[in-house]
Amino acid sequence: MTPSSTLGAWAELLRISALFTIPGDALAGAASIGVRPDRGTALAVGASLCLYEAGMALNDWADREEDAVDRPHRPIPSGRITPPAALAASAALTVTGLTLAAGAGRPALAVASTLAATVWAYDLGLKHTPAASATMATARALDLFLGAAATGRGRGPLKAPPQPVPSRTGAPPRPPVLNRRTGRSAAGHGGGARKALAVAGAGPGLVPAPQGLRDAGCSAIPAVDGAGVASALRRLTSPGTLAAAAMLGAHTYAVTEVSRREAHGGSTAAPLAALAAATVLAALVSRQRTPEAAPTLRREAAAPGGAGASAPTFTPSTPGGPGGLPPHAAEPQVSQPGRGGSGEIPQPQPDPANQRWWPRAGAGSAPVPEPSHPRPSADLAHTPSAVAPRGAGWGSRVGTGSTLTPAPNRSPHKAIRIATHLATPAALAAAAYFRTAANPLLHAALNPSPPLTQRAVGGGIRAMIPLQAALAARSGAVGTGVALMGLVPLARKLSRKVSPT
């Protein structure tokens, strides 16, 4: 065989056209916990790709006798790839995937190990049992959990510097300096490390020391991995992550049920059930998550004081002030830090003579004399013209003598509200998902022949990409959803050369 034909055989064995459906699992998992993708997410994507391809190679190795009858054109039955080579490739890919997951932390390695065990159990024993579809759905959900567990993991740094224990000789203790990654003394090895571990007691980022270290004067040691494990457990059990995993698992279950009959066809129940599942999933994923369930993506500010240090704060003024300020006339006080003084805009004060509102320079100052031109009425003049936003419901001043007039408060038309609701990124991705999955499934239900059934399975596999994009956009990661939608044409183009089934 020529090198090009060998590469083509391996591409067909590994079904590389289906690789585009894998990165979205980890990215959707990261979006479900409200954390931006990072190095851990990249490691999770690499681990998922390796484990997925390991399952593909192992699947053909396990079905080599069945494929010799039903699909003799496959690489192993046709003799282009030997069974030992396929098995060795599956083992090597599994080890590589677990190694990449280990780089993302212990929680990610635990999830990846469970995923690898699920893949091998499916290919070697559960594929021809009633639990086959549920096993594949579990594998897809675990792949999303892998992205959630690997993203944004903490290395367990000390929350506060530990306090040293006074030495037995009575000498004043030297404050330890710990390395944030290793927990050892920054001075080096030996005695410096021992002093670094001599802390007063268990606290944030610390655990009780073993008995031997306590006898040597150390009562607690840094807990490097404990915080990461607890954080990963909270993420995996959050409602948003569980909901996203359930949706991906439901779609995978329906497509797997259809694929179990792709070699012989003759079933209309499975495509119809998958079509119904796609309809329900498209309706569910198009809905935006509530603010309580959808965490806001945050990026910590580099400047001291956090992200909100320089942001203006808005506090409503107290109604019912001097002169009988009506409740609806309360205006926000804008505080701009860094400008000196209190930073508050002078608030309108009543004029005892005519009960009109005039701005004062400060508390205790005399009212400002009435200007020559007419002023707005009391219910409108409480909004200073210097801070009145243009186009925000107030008329602009045309000239001397003009007044501020409120624009009519008209609610948008019902058709506009419906169009705005349907034009959200999550809804658009959900529509693309339904279109990709529904058309071939409907054709397979009307004519359950093997070619149309295989086409329905391929469409269901490609539909995984817009489903992942919708899940990411639904959680607030619109950029991630747009990037995933860019993989759809690539997957469609490559599937014409290499079948994903």
Side-chain angles (χ1 to χ4, degrees):
M1 295 178 59
T2 61
S4 59
S5 60
T6 302
L7 291 177
W10 280 103
E12 185 179 353
L13 176 72
L14 299 177
R15 298 172 174 86
I16 61 172
S17 61
L19 281 179
F20 297 101
T21 67
I22 303 302
D25 291 340
L27 294 174
S32 67
I33 61 175
V35 180
R36 298 181 185 275
D38 54 10
R39 175 179 176 272
T41 313
L43 291 174
V45 170
S48 299
L49 292 173
C50 291
L51 295 177
Y52 185 82
E53 295 292 31
M56 290 297 176
L58 186 63
N59 177 76
D60 276 29
W61 179 86
D63 293 345
R64 60 189 183 277
E65 296 180 357
E66 180 181 348
D67 289 343
V69 178
D70 296 333
R71 295 189 291 183
H73 62 277
R74 294 294 299 168
I76 294 181
S78 62
R80 290 176 290 167
I81 296 177
T82 61
L87 183 60
S90 178
L93 288 170
T94 301
V95 173
T96 304
L98 294 178
T99 303
L100 292 175
R106 292 185 179 180
L109 178 59
V111 177
S113 301
T114 307
L115 175 59
T118 304
V119 170
W120 280 70
Y122 172 82
D123 288 332
L124 297 181
L126 297 179
K127 183 177 181 179
H128 301 287
T129 65
S133 300
T135 305
M136 288 299 296
T138 302
R140 182 64 71 165
L142 287 173
D143 203 21
L144 184 140
F145 286 147
L146 177 59
T151 303
R153 72 179 187 92
R155 295 182 180 271
L158 298 176
K159 301 299 182 181
Q163 300 298 326
V165 177
S167 62
R168 297 180 180 179
T169 60
R174 298 178 61 185
V177 180
L178 296 182
N179 187 298
R180 294 174 65 88
R181 293 185 58 187
T182 63
R184 304 187 64 178
S185 172
H189 304 281
R194 179 177 177 273
K195 292 179 182 179
L197 295 177
V199 292
L206 303 175
V207 295
Q211 183 63 36
L213 291 178
R214 287 201 297 267
D215 295 341
C218 176
S219 60
I221 60 176
V224 177
D225 293 327
V229 173
S231 176
L233 290 178
R234 288 193 299 269
R235 291 175 177 182
L236 298 184
T237 56
S238 63
T241 306
L242 293 177
M247 292 182 187
L248 284 178
H251 176 76
T252 305
Y253 184 96
V255 175
T256 306
E257 283 291 313
V258 178
S259 67
R260 298 183 67 181
R261 299 166 179 84
E262 64 178 340
H264 303 88
S267 174
T268 58
L272 285 177
L275 181 60
T279 304
V280 174
L281 289 176
L284 292 177
V285 79
S286 62
R287 298 180 179 180
Q288 195 74 14
R289 288 171 58 184
T290 59
E292 293 79 8
T296 304
L297 300 180
R298 297 181 177 90
R299 178 179 297 174
E300 297 192 9
S310 60
T313 57
F314 298 87
T315 56
S317 59
T318 305
L325 173 62
H328 68 273
E331 78 171 333
Q333 299 178 0
V334 184
S335 176
Q336 298 287 351
R339 293 191 177 183
S342 62
E344 296 182 357
I345 297 177
Q347 298 300 306
Q349 301 293 335
D351 187 354
N354 54 13
Q355 293 298 323
R356 289 187 177 182
W357 292 85
W358 312 115
R360 290 187 178 184
S365 59
V368 178
E370 181 178 358
S372 58
H373 60 274
R375 302 290 295 186
S377 58
D379 59 341
L380 297 180
H382 67 275
T383 302
S385 60
V387 297
R390 297 180 62 87
W394 295 96
S396 59
R397 292 182 178 269
V398 180
T400 303
S402 61
T403 60
L404 296 175
T405 57
N409 185 13
R410 297 177 180 177
S411 59
H413 193 272
K414 183 177 180 181
I416 299 179
R417 295 198 303 267
I418 295 177
T420 304
H421 176 73
L422 296 178
T424 61
L428 296 177
Y433 157 72
F434 181 76
R435 180 180 179 277
T436 305
N439 289 341
L441 286 174
L442 181 60
H443 294 162
L446 297 176
N447 181 15
S449 61
L452 291 181
T453 304
Q454 294 176 7
R455 186 178 301 177
V457 174
I461 294 175
R462 293 194 307 272
M464 189 71 66
I465 302 176
L467 177 59
Q468 296 161 346
L471 290 173
R474 178 175 179 263
S475 300
V478 179
T480 300
V482 173
L484 288 175
M485 288 300 298
L487 300 178
V488 174
L490 299 177
R492 183 186 299 111
K493 183 178 180 180
L494 190 56
S495 64
R496 297 170 183 172
K497 299 181 180 180
V498 180
S499 174
T501 61

